[in-house]
Structures are given as C-alpha cells and as structure tokens.
Amino acid sequence: METIFYNFYYQDDQQIKKLMNTALIEQVFDLIKLNNPLIAIESPLQERARLLKSIARECQQKHVLCYLWTLSDDQLHQLEVNGQDLILQQVLEYQPMTKNKREDYFEILRFWKATEKEGILILEGIFPWLGDSTTDPDFFLTAEWIKSALINLKLDNRNSNRTAILLGPNASLSSEITAFVPTITQELPTVEEISNYLQGILPKNYSEKEIHEIALAAVGMYLADIEYGINWATASCTKAQELTKKLSLYKTDLLRRVYNIEFLQPPAIEVGGLDLMQESFKTYKRLLTPLAKAYNLRLPKGILLIGPPGTGKSHSAKACSQRLGIPMIVLEWGSFRSYGNMAEYKLKNLLALVDRINRVILYLDDFDKGFTLNDDLSRRLAGMLLTWMQERKSDVLIIASANNIEWLPPELTRSGRFDDIFKVDLPNNGERHSIFKIHLARFDYRFRDRDGFSDEEWRRLLKATHRCVGAEIQAIVERAAISTFCLMFTDDVPPVGELPPLEIRLEALLSARNNMNPLAIREAERIEGMRNKADLQGLPSSPLDSSIYSVGNVNIFG
C-alpha cells in the first residue's frame, strides 16, 4: 500500500477547527444523512487541500471511510488525517484499465457501483463532462455515458452507506442531471471567518481592531490566497497599518488576474459640473447609514448613465466612489462574451465576490456593448444580472454606463430595474469653465488658487470649445502644456530647482483646439441621435447654466 503525506502547518488543533469551512462541511454531511448518494461541491482549486483535510477529519470523527479519485492519475486513495498531515493511502483493489476508449478513464464509476466498500468517494475532474451539450460527437457520447453512470450510482447506492462527491471549481450541470445532484458551493469567507484565521497566524501583539482592519482588506479572497498575501506582505513589513496596505495591493492585483476587473479604492478627484447627479450621490451616502436601514430604506437597485462618449460617465462613477467613501469594481460588461460557455460561471463568481465585499460600487462600463449581437448569451447574462439585482441583500451600488441606450434590452430600462437614469450630456459653458480650470491647475499654478484668464479670454475659449466634451478638454490642456514646455526649453533643461513656472496662454489652448475635430462635430448626426434618445429616458445630470459665461448672460449690446 503506497502512502503519501501532505503536511499542513497550523499552530494547534483549535486553530485547525477555526480554519475548517464549518458551514460547508455541515451541509455535506446533512445531505449524506438524508441518504443522498451523489453530491456536487464547487470549490476553488486553491482551497482544495484545506477542504479535503476538513472532509477527511470529519469522516474520521464519524468513523466513516473516505476515498479520493482524480482524473489526472486514475488512482484510488484512502484519506486519513494524522495530526498535521493528510495521508493518502493507495487502494490496490482498484486497478485502472487500459484506455482503449474514453469511457475507460472513468472506470471508477463502475467500481464504486459494484464494490462492497462503504464510505465517501470524492471524484475530481468529472464536471467538464456534465455541462451543456457539445458539438463534438465523441465528447457527447462520453458525457452521456458518464451522466448515465452517475444516475445509476444514485439509484443503486441509495441506503447503501456509500456516497460519491463530485468536486471541482465549476459545478455547472446540464439540465437533465442537475435535479439528481444537490450542489453545494464553497463561499468566500466572511470578515468574521477571516478574523478568526488571522488570529492564529499574525503576531500576538496585534490588537483586535488591527486584525479587523486587515480582515476587511482581505475580504474577497479565499483563505489560501490570504495566507499567501500575508506571507508576501510580512516579508517586507511588520506594522499592522503597512500590512493592511500591502495586503490591499495584493488583493487588487489578484482580483484583476482572476476576475479581469479593476478594484479601485475611493479616489481623490474633482468634478466639473453635473451638480444634480452629485446631489443624488449625497442621498446614496445617507442611504448607507444604520438610520436609513432602521426605516427599511435601501440604495437604488441600479443607476444608469447614458450619453455620448467622453462626457464624464466613468468619471462620475469614480466621483460617486469618492462621495460615498467606498471602493469601486470596474468591469467591462462586453468582456464576458469572450468567455463563451464559461461566461455565466464567470458572472456568477463575480457577483458572489461583490456580495461578499458588500459596501462597494459595481461599475459596468460600456454596458450597451454587451448587447450589440442581441443573442442568447446576452439575454442569459442580462437575466442573471437582473435576478441578482432584484434579490441581493448586500449594500452594493450598481452603476452602468451606455452610449446607445437603444442597444439595451427593454427589460433592462423599464421601471424597477435601474431606479435612476441620468443623461450625461455635453457640458455647458459653466461646466466647461470648471473642467478647464481643473486640468489647467495640474500644470499652471495660476489656476490653483485663482483664475489665470480674464472674463473676455474665457469667453473666447469657451466659444471655441463649444460641443467639446470633458475628455477633449483634458486633451486640449495637455497638448497646450506640451507646446508651452517645448517653447520654454531647449534640449538643455536646467536643474529642477531653477525651473520657471509653466504658464499656459490662451493662444496655446486655441491652437490645440484648432488641431482637434471634436466628436460631437465630426459625428454630429450620430451624437445628436444619442442625445435625443437619452432625453427620452434620462433625468438631467446638470442644472441650467447659471454661470457668468452662460449664453443667457452674454451682453449682446457690448
């Protein structure tokens, strides 16, 4: 009998109990008590060793034998836990067959049906054959054989003290088998579970408050990821505050790689205009308070920002993150199409992540681009999102941006889906004045505490930039700053301490504007179509221009 040892280091047995996914293990054995001979567990790969040890330990306490079979080696092992070690003992009664056909790789299903052994058999690597149908006839026939074998296991092994557990990261089952197999999903750990875990691995001089702050920074990761992140962070820092920051950076990078999203902490930004929308953001912040919850008040189910490109929809979402003081997850909705048959699985995991993080903004960028083909996949993803928006209990604020509202399915824009719909339009004179000042202040000190131009100069600039959006104004200022810099200095740039201030003149801005053809002018018909359709659905995000640069405030008589 071949024996393999897997070593896990924890401080003591009590810590091991804390690290067990207690709720998950209880669900598994509750289903076993109800004589379910077939169970599916969806668990991420990084948590696999911890989960196997938890199941094996529970089996030992209940005097139940536990076995493991994996597709990769087609070997059967008995699992035992000895102190800190997970022991795999090869079961020689099971002998793999010569692989003449694909079904021979799954001889374990015949063996478990016919054997007199009792206990729990964990099967790894079968889920890919249990999903929706495929166009490959050979794969299809193998999948049908496996499904039939599993159904026979369920029927023949009832009341036989034998249970087969299907284990894998994606427990997507086809409709004909899903009713036969109860499925359990290993959820992301809660803040309390993470805190319990951290108490066993962090230095004893960390206070409860510090551990709680670190746990909050770790929410959204599994324990195995947190352990790796802690080890990476403590290699270069020991103070709790530094550890929290480094763990947050590690989580940001991990979420980007795993979920293809950006996880952004509340930024420090300025917004030029959009005052009505900003007032709504203040309301959302009040709805996050315990007082609002006491009155059963909630955040809007969703907020939709519609309007031409470059008008500040993404910037507005970041401003909302700043106003509410909560992080933001940025997701390109159209990117889900690239996952094909995995798209629904990816979306399900992402929504579970968002629910666990809880107080966060989920920003769906270019929401309309995910519906350009109007196919079955688009409708299924939209249905998943709508169901989640309707049923969720978490304090998540969903913000979506769209250029072409007509691309969105009607069920997404009807009342009760997105509670607030804002039209983010071309900026008026007063808003363009504010946007110019924000960007000019980045380069020219005169615009930081005061106004560097006269009213007449501003009127010339604002007239020249009519129909320019915020993104184009930023580009104009940056080009003007570059041209000013190039006129001030040759290749021999003096030391930093001797640098004169960069003063951007009106002529440089007008020249940069003349070298740009704004989108609202270049594509006037298309942009006006977007604006008109947004008018029919959205509330204004800006009030009437009441600044001194408003068209109504111009003295036409000089």
Side-chain angles (χ1 to χ4, degrees):
M1 178 177 288
E2 179 186 355
T3 303
I4 303 174
F5 293 85
Y6 284 90
N7 182 268
F8 296 80
Y9 174 71
Y10 302 128
Q11 290 188 349
D12 50 39
D13 189 63
Q14 186 64 31
Q15 179 62 19
I16 293 175
K17 292 179 180 178
K18 287 182 180 181
L19 295 178
M20 289 174 59
N21 193 322
T22 307
L24 176 66
I25 300 303
E26 287 179 355
Q27 290 181 65
V28 171
F29 283 89
D30 284 345
L31 288 173
I32 293 173
K33 286 180 185 178
L34 296 173
N35 293 322
N36 279 288
L38 194 58
I39 301 170
I41 299 179
E42 183 171 289
S43 174
L45 289 173
Q46 60 266 43
E47 288 294 306
R48 189 62 41 80
R50 196 186 310 274
L51 178 61
L52 290 175
K53 188 169 186 181
S54 297
I55 294 175
R57 181 176 293 277
E58 188 72 11
C59 285
Q60 282 187 197
Q61 292 176 356
K62 296 181 180 298
H63 306 290
V64 176
L65 295 178
C66 184
Y67 303 94
L68 173 67
W69 174 89
T70 60
L71 178 62
S72 59
D73 62 4
D74 193 17
Q75 303 252 345
L76 184 63
H77 293 92
Q78 182 176 335
L79 298 183
E80 294 181 359
V81 179
N82 183 8
Q84 299 174 1
D85 297 325
L86 179 66
I87 304 171
L88 280 65
Q89 296 179 332
Q90 186 175 352
V91 179
L92 300 180
E93 290 92 329
Y94 175 73
Q95 292 295 324
M97 295 179 60
T98 303
K99 308 300 188 288
N100 295 320
K101 53 185 181 297
R102 195 174 281 179
E103 297 95 285
D104 294 338
Y105 286 92
F106 303 95
E107 176 63 21
I108 186 65
L109 298 178
R110 293 194 187 101
F111 174 85
W112 191 245
K113 178 183 176 183
T115 186
E116 295 182 358
K117 291 182 177 295
E118 295 182 344
I120 294 175
L121 170 63
I122 302 172
L123 300 165
E124 271 198 282
I126 290 184
F127 280 130
W129 281 267
L130 303 181
D132 292 325
S133 59
T134 176
T135 56
D136 182 351
D138 187 31
F139 190 96
F140 172 78
L141 291 174
T142 304
E144 291 302 303
W145 181 90
I146 293 172
K147 293 173 186 177
S148 177
L150 289 174
I151 292 173
N152 288 333
L153 272 184
K154 183 175 180 69
L155 297 175
D156 295 345
N157 286 358
R158 183 173 291 276
N159 301 319
S160 64
N161 295 322
R162 277 182 286 169
T163 301
I165 295 178
L166 311 179
L167 182 61
N170 180 7
S172 297
L173 304 177
S174 61
S175 56
E176 66 264 29
I177 196 174
T178 187
F180 286 89
V181 187
T183 302
I184 302 170
T185 301
Q186 183 171 1
E187 306 288 352
L188 287 160
T190 63
V191 174
E192 292 74 19
E193 290 170 337
I194 296 173
S195 295
N196 287 337
Y197 167 65
L198 293 176
Q199 288 172 13
I201 66 171
L202 290 176
K204 297 300 182 184
N205 61 341
Y206 279 30
S207 67
E208 288 188 11
K209 181 180 179 181
E210 290 173 329
I211 291 177
H212 181 70
E213 291 295 324
I214 297 172
L216 288 175
V219 171
M221 296 189 289
Y222 288 98
L223 293 182
D225 298 321
I226 295 171
E227 182 179 2
Y228 187 90
I230 291 289
N231 292 335
W232 171 77
T234 52
S236 58
C237 65
T238 56
K239 294 182 179 180
Q241 189 174 7
E242 296 175 352
L243 177 61
T244 303
K245 290 181 179 179
K246 294 211 70 174
L247 190 60
S248 294
L249 292 174
Y250 173 78
K251 182 174 77 171
T252 299
D253 180 66
L254 180 70
L255 297 184
R256 177 186 56 79
R257 290 185 282 112
V258 174
Y259 297 96
N260 193 27
I261 60 175
E262 288 184 79
F263 184 81
L264 306 176
Q265 295 297 334
I269 61 173
E270 294 183 81
V271 180
L274 306 177
D275 293 340
L276 296 181
M277 191 192 302
Q278 297 297 313
E279 287 298 317
S280 295
F281 293 164
K282 293 179 182 179
T283 303
Y284 303 155
K285 184 173 184 179
R286 297 182 67 183
L287 292 175
L288 285 172
T289 62
L291 181 60
K293 294 182 184 300
Y295 283 95
N296 292 322
L297 300 175
R298 59 166 179 81
L299 288 169
K301 292 178 183 177
I303 301 160
L304 184 59
L305 310 180
I306 52 177
T311 50
K313 296 183 291 294
S314 298
H315 198 73
S316 297
K318 293 178 182 178
C320 187
S321 172
Q322 178 190 36
R323 177 78 68 179
L324 272 61
I326 59 177
M328 182 170 73
I329 289 176
V330 182
L331 166 70
E332 288 189 19
W333 182 253
S335 67
F336 274 110
R337 302 198 58 84
S338 62
Y339 297 122
N341 292 333
M342 293 288 288
E344 290 167 285
Y345 167 71
K346 292 282 189 179
L347 179 57
K348 181 190 73 171
N349 286 349
L350 175 63
L351 296 179
L353 168 73
V354 171
D355 268 332
R356 181 61 77 204
I357 295 176
N358 192 16
R359 295 171 67 90
V360 68
I361 293 173
L362 176 59
Y363 177 53
L364 307 175
D365 195 14
D366 290 332
F367 192 46
D368 51 329
K369 291 183 180 178
F371 302 96
T372 53
L373 297 181
N374 192 28
D375 57 0
D376 185 55
L377 177 59
S378 299
R379 288 188 287 271
R380 293 202 310 271
L381 292 174
M384 285 185 66
L385 179 67
L386 287 176
T387 300
W388 174 77
M389 290 172 63
Q390 189 73 28
E391 299 177 355
R392 65 187 171 85
K393 304 297 182 183
S394 55
D395 289 328
V396 178
L397 182 62
I398 301 98
I399 303 179
S401 67
N403 298 328
N404 297 282
I405 194 171
E406 70 272 15
W407 290 355
L408 299 178
E411 61 269 22
L412 280 173
T413 55
R414 75 167 177 81
S415 179
R417 301 302 193 187
F418 285 92
D419 293 331
D420 290 342
I421 301 179
F422 289 102
K423 175 190 177 183
V424 187
D425 205 357
L426 304 180
N428 57 42
N429 281 6
E431 289 176 322
R432 291 204 308 283
H433 173 255
S434 298
I435 296 170
F436 263 115
K437 288 189 66 176
I438 290 172
H439 291 296
L440 284 166
R442 295 163 50 202
F443 307 102
D444 191 332
Y445 73 98
R446 297 176 300 161
F447 295 90
R448 291 168 193 166
D449 301 319
R450 54 189 177 88
D451 203 329
F453 292 155
S454 67
D455 288 347
E456 181 58 33
E457 288 175 313
W458 274 119
R459 287 193 171 91
R460 285 183 60 194
L461 179 60
L462 296 177
K463 181 178 180 180
T465 55
H466 178 60
R467 296 183 69 82
C468 287
V469 296
E472 291 165 338
I473 291 172
Q474 177 180 347
I476 289 171
V477 172
E478 289 174 351
R479 292 180 185 181
I482 291 172
S483 65
T484 301
F485 169 80
C486 292
L487 289 174
M488 288 174 62
F489 302 108
T490 61
D491 292 337
D492 300 325
V493 179
V496 174
E498 301 177 11
L499 287 179
L502 193 72
E503 294 187 356
I504 302 175
R505 302 299 179 187
L506 174 63
E507 289 71 21
L509 294 168
L510 294 176
S511 175
R513 163 61 187 89
N514 289 333
N515 292 324
M516 172 189 292
N517 190 6
L519 181 64
I521 297 176
R522 187 172 69 251
E523 300 284 347
E525 184 176 351
R526 186 164 65 93
I527 297 301
E528 285 307 302
M530 292 180 186
R531 297 179 67 199
N532 292 335
K533 288 171 183 174
D535 263 333
L536 297 175
Q537 295 272 1
L539 298 171
S541 54
S542 305
L544 294 175
D545 188 2
S546 59
S547 71
I548 63 171
Y549 304 108
S550 168
V551 174
N553 290 329
V554 174
N555 185 355
I556 62 173
F557 298 104

